[in-house]
Amino acid sequence: MSVLTLREAPPERLDLHALTPLALSGLGQAEAERLPIGTSRRGLVLGDCFSVKLGGADELVIEGGHERLDRVGAALSAGTIRVEGDVGQRLGAGMAGGTLTVTGNAGPFAGAGATGGTITIEGDAGDHAGGALHAAKAGLDGATLVIRGRAGAHLGDSMRRGLIVAGEAGAFAGARMIAGTLAALRVGDHAGYGMRRGTVLVGAHGTLMPTFVETGTHDLVFLRLLARMLRPVSPGHADLLNGTPRRYSGDLATIGKGELWVAA
Amino acid sequence: MAAWVKGGAADADGAVQAAAAILAAARTPVFAGLNADVAAIRAATHLAGRIGASLDSLGSAGTYADLGALARVGAMTTTPAEVVGRADVVLLVGEAPRGAALVERLNATAPSRGRAAGGPRTLLRLDALSPLPIAVAALRAHARGHLADDHGLLALAKALAGAQYGAVLYDPAELGAAGVEMLQGLVMDLNERTRCFALSLSGADQDRAALQVAAWTTGQAIRVGFGRHVPEHDPWRFDAARLAASGEADAALWLSSRPAEAPAWLAGLPSIALVSGEPDPGMAEVVIAVGEPGAEVGGVLWNEGRAGLSYRAPAAPAARPAAAEILGRIAATLDARKDA
C-alpha cells in the first residue's frame, strides 16, 4: 500500500491523474517525488506537496484531501485508491476499472466518462457528477458512481451506460441521458431534460418537465431485477421500488424512450 | 498617455514596469475581458503563453453555451443578412432578442430573396412562462407531434413547419447550453420538412473575435491556460470569475479597449486594467488608458452584421496607444527582467 500525505493546502490546483497504485509501485522514492503534478509555471512535483511512502501495487491512500486535487484516479484501471478528505474536479473521470473512494466531498464532473469500476463519494458531489465534460458525447459510460450525500445540478448528464446512486440531486438530474440507470432519493426540478433513453428512479422530485407523460403503474420483472441490483449498493434505493411506483415517459421533446419511476 | 499606478498618475514607462512586476510575481495570473481588437487579443494570448497565464473573455458564458451544443449535436446556423433577405417566419426565443437591432430591421423589411421572396414576414415570440429551456423543450415536443395540449405552442410549431425559410433568434447566455442544444434539435427536426436556421445573437462585445483568435492560435476555444507551457482547454478551471472567487488567481489583467463594465472581483487582487474611455484610476492597481479600436485607433473587430472579422478605421483618431502596443511593451519588459 502506497500512502501520500498532503502536507498543507496546495497553492494551486494539482493534477493527480497519473497517480495510480500500479504506476507508483514501479517507481523509486526519488522518481515518485519528482512526478509533475502542478498546473502553473512553477512546475510543482509530488514531493513538494506530499510526503510519499511507497508500497504494493494494489492500493493507494491519499491522506488529507483538498478541493484543489483534480483528476484523482482518472487513469485508474485496477486496484484501489482511497482519499481521506475532499477532492477537486473530475474525480475518476474516464477511469476504466478499480475502486475509488473519497471520504469527503468531490468537485464537479466526478466520474465523467468513466467506463468501468466503482466510484464512491461519502460526502457531497459538485455539479455534473457522472456528467459529460465540455464537448464530450457521453457522461458516465459503464462505471458505478455512488454519492452518499447530495449531488449538484446535472447529475448523470448525458450518461450512456452504468449506474448512478445518489442521496439527493439538484436540478436537471438525468438530463440528456442516452442510456443507463440513475437512482436518487430526491431530485430537483426538471429531471430527465432532453433524455432519450435510460431509467431514472426517484423517491421524490421537484417540478416535472411538461414533456413527460404519466403512463401509470406497472408490475414489471425489470423492476424486481433493478431492486435486486440496487440492494447491495444501497438498500434505501432498492426500497424505492417497494409498492407500485408510477412511471413517466419522456422526454417527448426527443425520441421519448426514457422512463422516470417515482416511488409510491 | 494616461496611466495610473495605485490610484496615482504615472508615466507610461512606470505603469508598464509596474504591470510587468505584478505579472512576474504571479503564480496563476488570469487574463480576462479580451474585449478588444484582434491585434490586442493576439498580443494578450502571446503574453499569456509567455508567463503561463489563463484566458477568459467577457461573454464566455454565452459563447460556451453555443460551443457546447455545437460540439455535441452540431448546429444549423445562418447570418443576419440571410435572415433579413430570406426569412418569412422568425421566432424570437426569450427576452434578449427583442431588443436586438436586427429585430427592427426584420420588422421594417420583407423577404427579398429565395423561396419566400415577395411574401410577408411574420415575427413570433416564445414567451417563457416556465424557464426558457423548458419552454423550448415543450415547443420541440409539439413540433414533433408528441404533444398537442398547448395551443400557443402548437401554433408556433405549425408556423415554423409551414415556413419557407424559418429562423429562430436567441441569446445563448439566456438559453444556456442545454437549452441551445434543445433549440438546435428543434431546428434539425424542422429541417426534415422545410428550411429553418438558428441565429445566435452574441451581443456587441468582441467574444467572437476572441474565439477566432483562440481557435487559430491554440486550436481550442477561449478558456485556455498555459501554466504547463502547452495550451490546456478547460472551461470550468479557467473561468476567470471562478479563479478569482476561489482565490486561485493571484493576479489579473483586464483587457477591454471596447466599452464594458469591469468585474467587481478585479479590485480584489493585484491587477492591471487596459481600458478605453475615462477609466476610474482605482479600478485596478495599474490602469492604462488605451485607444478604443474602431473609434480612436484602427483595428480588426468582429462585425456582427456580416458575421466576420473586418478592419474598422478610427472614426475620430486620438493620440492614445493601441492595447496591443502596451501588451507588447509589457512582454518586452518581462523579457528583460531576470525573475520572470
Side-chain angles (χ1 to χ4, degrees):
Chain A
M1 185 175 83
S2 301
V3 181
L4 304 176
T5 307
L6 188 66
R7 290 206 195 90
E8 58 189 3
E12 62 191 55
R13 297 202 83 82
L14 302 178
D15 183 352
L16 305 188
H17 85 281
L19 303 183
T20 64
L22 190 62
L24 283 179
S25 71
L27 299 178
Q29 184 74 20
E31 275 178 309
E33 286 179 354
R34 280 201 304 274
L35 284 174
I37 57 167
T39 57
S40 79
R41 59 176 163 160
R42 300 290 162 89
L44 288 185
V45 294
L46 188 58
D48 292 335
C49 307
F50 291 89
S51 57
V52 181
K53 186 165 98 41
L54 294 177
D58 55 338
E59 190 175 4
L60 166 64
V61 175
I62 300 176
E63 290 178 347
H66 195 278
E67 60 87 21
R68 288 185 181 175
L69 305 185
D70 290 344
R71 297 214 285 171
V72 173
L76 193 67
S77 57
T80 298
I81 297 180
R82 180 179 171 81
V83 183
E84 289 168 359
D86 297 344
V87 294
Q89 69 156 339
R90 303 196 192 189
L91 168 77
M95 86 177 219
T99 306
L100 181 53
T101 304
V102 172
T103 63
N105 301 329
F109 301 106
T115 57
T118 301
I119 304 169
T120 306
I121 300 163
E122 292 177 1
D124 298 340
D127 291 344
H128 297 275
L133 296 172
H134 173 75
K137 284 276 184 198
L140 193 83
D141 198 3
T144 299
L145 173 63
V146 181
I147 299 159
R148 301 285 178 206
R150 188 180 154 50
H154 296 275
L155 172 70
D157 176 27
S158 303
M159 75 178 283
R160 184 161 74 180
R161 206 176 297 152
L163 172 67
I164 297 179
V165 171
E168 276 192 41
F172 293 100
R176 307 187 290 186
M177 260 175 91
I178 301 162
T181 304
L182 189 162
L185 301 179
R186 180 176 179 81
V187 295
D189 294 341
H190 312 310
Y193 182 86
M195 79 186 283
R196 296 171 66 78
R197 295 185 179 81
T199 301
V200 178
L201 167 66
V202 303
H205 55 77
T207 309
L208 276 183
M209 287 287 296
T211 49
F212 274 70
V213 290
E214 189 171 348
T215 59
T217 57
H218 307 263
D219 183 21
L220 300 180
V221 174
F222 162 73
L223 293 182
R224 293 197 282 278
L225 290 171
L226 181 60
R228 189 184 295 177
M229 188 186 80
L230 286 171
R231 195 159 298 280
V233 181
S234 167
H237 289 77
D239 288 343
L240 293 176
L241 290 162
N242 296 343
T244 49
R246 268 169 299 134
R247 182 181 183 277
Y248 294 82
S249 178
D251 181 338
L252 294 179
T254 69
I255 58 175
K257 294 187 177 179
E259 55 182 5
L260 171 66
W261 291 94
V262 181
Chain B
M1 187 175 93
W4 298 265
V5 176
K6 293 185 175 158
D11 63 354
D13 281 339
V16 166
Q17 291 284 350
I22 289 174
L23 295 177
R27 175 188 287 271
T28 315
V30 53
F31 290 7
L34 304 186
N35 187 31
D37 61 311
V38 165
I41 299 167
R42 284 186 66 181
T45 306
H46 291 151
L47 180 57
R50 162 80 178 69
I51 64 166
S54 66
L55 301 170
D56 193 5
S57 65
L58 180 64
S60 53
T63 300
Y64 273 95
D66 266 346
L67 287 177
L70 174 68
R72 285 168 47 91
V73 298
M76 301 193 79
T77 60
T78 184
T79 63
E82 283 286 278
V83 176
V84 170
R86 295 179 190 271
D88 57 343
V89 175
V90 179
L91 176 66
L92 310 180
V93 178
E95 295 286 333
R98 291 180 199 171
L102 177 61
V103 174
E104 278 174 43
R105 259 178 92 196
L106 289 170
N107 271 319
T109 56
S112 58
R113 300 197 299 276
R115 300 200 298 169
R121 168 146 51 220
T122 315
L123 264 72
L124 304 168
R125 289 172 171 187
L126 178 62
D127 293 306
L129 299 175
S130 46
L132 193 56
I134 312 306
V136 173
L139 173 61
R140 189 177 172 200
H142 283 76
R144 287 182 81 106
H146 288 169
L147 288 179
D149 50 356
D150 186 316
H151 297 295
L153 292 178
L154 205 56
L156 288 181
K158 280 190 176 148
L160 286 169
Q164 303 278 344
Y165 187 114
V168 295
L169 272 51
Y170 68 98
D171 174 2
E174 185 185 8
L175 198 47
V180 174
E181 190 173 319
M182 186 62 81
L183 189 68
Q184 291 290 354
L186 168 70
V187 168
M188 287 173 207
D189 290 347
L190 287 164
N191 271 284
E192 302 273 331
R193 279 172 289 167
T194 182
R195 291 179 187 183
C196 188
F197 298 94
L199 178 60
S200 171
L201 300 173
S202 57
D205 57 60
Q206 290 300 304
D207 235 58
R208 295 303 166 107
L211 181 60
Q212 308 256 334
V213 175
W216 82 54
T217 310
T218 69
Q220 305 282 3
I222 298 163
R223 285 182 184 169
V224 159
F226 295 93
R228 287 189 269 195
H229 306 294
V230 290
E232 283 183 85
H233 182 236
D234 189 331
W236 181 82
R237 182 145 68 98
F238 300 123
D239 176 344
R242 190 201 68 78
L243 280 166
S246 69
E248 287 164 39
D250 54 358
L253 184 148
W254 173 253
L255 169 60
S256 184
S257 54
R258 302 273 295 172
E261 198 176 328
W265 52 259
L266 194 65
L269 66 176
S271 53
I272 304 149
L274 305 186
V275 286
S276 58
E278 300 301 325
D280 165 18
M283 70 186 289
E285 199 170 312
V286 177
V287 179
I288 302 176
V290 295
E292 182 181 336
E296 296 168 335
V297 295
V300 175
L301 294 167
W302 180 257
N303 183 327
E304 179 74 22
R306 293 170 60 182
L309 294 168
S310 54
Y311 178 78
R312 228 170 294 166
R320 282 186 158 189
E325 182 197 328
I326 301 295
L327 288 162
R329 286 176 66 180
I330 294 174
T333 309
L334 279 167
D335 283 338
R337 285 175 70 109
K338 286 202 178 109
D339 59 347

